Amino acid sequence: DTAVSQTPKYLVTQMGNDKSIKCEQNLGHDTMYWYKQDSKKFLKIMFSYNNKELIINETVPNRFSPKSPDKAHLNLHINSLELGDSAVYFCASSLLGQIEAFFGQGTRLTVV
Amino acid sequence: GESVGLHLPTLSVQEGDNSIINCAYSNSASDYFIWYKQESGKGPQFIIDIRSNMDKRQGQRVTVLLNKTVKHLSLQIAATQPGDSAVYFCAEKPRNTPLVFGKGTRLSVIA
């Protein structure tokens, strides 16, 4: 009964490719997020969606495009992948205004 | 930009001893401060939070202390166990914005 699930868990791809990471939550939350964790373990917010609407878009290249088909899903599409995109990407969800966010297990993206 | 940081990147503790993980923050406007635990290969997991108008909150084997005067947050783990080995993040929750995480401290428990 995974609360927040991401696929794939590992993704290795070449520079210039386009890839997508999927995220689904079954917690009934109305807000979903994408975080990027770099090699030094630093977690940085990328996007935040509430009820399928984008509410936070930090300084992220246009190559990153989130899509939320419904409240339970927030997918991340990345165009023209670069070496610097290599990181672990975490999806998370919460109820708007609540403190606790639930995280997925992460997707380790390696661009070669 | 980053507004939450940590004093120590790594901490080694003997099993059974108490652990103290420290964090400095700079955004005084946050409503809540939170500690997350991240085990290897997993996503961060909520441990405990403290509201900005409190200075201490206790959970099961964990205590969070907030000193707003010096903008300091700490997590105390009593009787540290091998299962406590992980990276611990402090985070702040400003109103209507997502969590802002600090850099993390790796806790290693020596059996």
Side-chain angles (χ1 to χ4, degrees):
Chain A
D1 290 345
T2 306
V4 181
S5 60
Q6 298 177 226
T7 54
K9 187 168 183 179
Y10 300 97
L11 183 55
V12 181
T13 187
Q14 290 186 325
M15 277 195 305
N17 284 351
D18 304 338
K19 291 294 178 185
S20 292
I21 307 172
K22 296 185 177 182
C23 179
E24 176 182 4
Q25 55 93 5
N26 62 4
L27 298 167
H29 289 163
D30 56 6
T31 306
M32 296 185 72
Y33 314 87
W34 278 106
Y35 282 83
K36 179 180 180 180
Q37 186 171 49
D38 63 22
S39 58
K40 297 179 181 178
K41 297 287 189 183
F42 184 61
L43 275 158
K44 185 173 170 60
I45 183 72
M46 299 173 69
F47 301 101
S48 174
Y49 268 71
N50 175 253
N51 285 319
K52 303 192 300 175
E53 298 295 324
L54 179 66
I55 56 173
I56 297 284
N57 181 355
E58 292 296 315
T59 309
V60 178
N62 290 338
R63 299 181 293 103
F64 290 78
S65 53
K67 285 185 172 52
S68 183
D70 56 58
K71 287 197 303 183
H73 296 83
L74 180 61
N75 304 322
L76 184 64
H77 188 76
I78 315 170
N79 289 326
S80 303
L81 278 154
E82 300 177 359
L83 292 176
D85 297 333
S86 295
V88 182
Y89 292 83
F90 285 99
C91 176
S93 72
S94 72
L95 284 171
L96 186 67
Q98 287 203 348
I99 303 308
E100 185 174 357
F102 292 78
F103 284 76
Q105 294 219 357
T107 296
R108 181 175 293 277
L109 171 66
T110 304
V111 183
V112 297
Chain B
E2 178 186 337
S3 67
V4 185
L6 291 169
H7 295 305
L8 294 172
T10 60
L11 178 65
S12 294
V13 176
Q14 203 73 33
E15 182 179 358
D17 287 353
N18 296 336
S19 303
I20 301 176
I21 303 171
N22 296 304
C23 175
Y25 66 91
S26 58
N27 186 353
S28 300
S30 293
D31 292 332
Y32 285 87
F33 298 88
I34 309 103
W35 283 98
Y36 273 78
K37 173 186 181 183
Q38 185 179 18
E39 296 177 88
S40 181
K42 297 184 178 180
Q45 184 177 15
F46 174 91
I47 302 173
I48 190 168
D49 65 65
I50 186 168
R51 193 167 180 164
S52 59
N53 63 355
M54 299 171 63
D55 52 23
K56 182 179 180 179
R57 188 169 185 215
Q58 286 185 297
Q60 189 176 15
R61 279 202 308 119
V62 295
T63 301
V64 56
L65 300 177
L66 176 62
N67 185 332
K68 292 182 288 295
T69 302
V70 295
K71 297 183 181 178
H72 185 268
L73 185 72
S74 69
L75 177 71
Q76 299 178 0
I77 305 173
T80 313
Q81 302 169 1
D84 295 327
S85 293
V87 177
Y88 289 82
F89 294 92
C90 64
E92 55 182 307
K93 181 71 176 71
R95 189 169 299 179
N96 297 326
T97 61
L99 293 167
V100 177
F101 284 89
K103 287 182 179 174
T105 294
R106 184 177 298 280
L107 176 65
S108 295
V109 181
I110 304 165

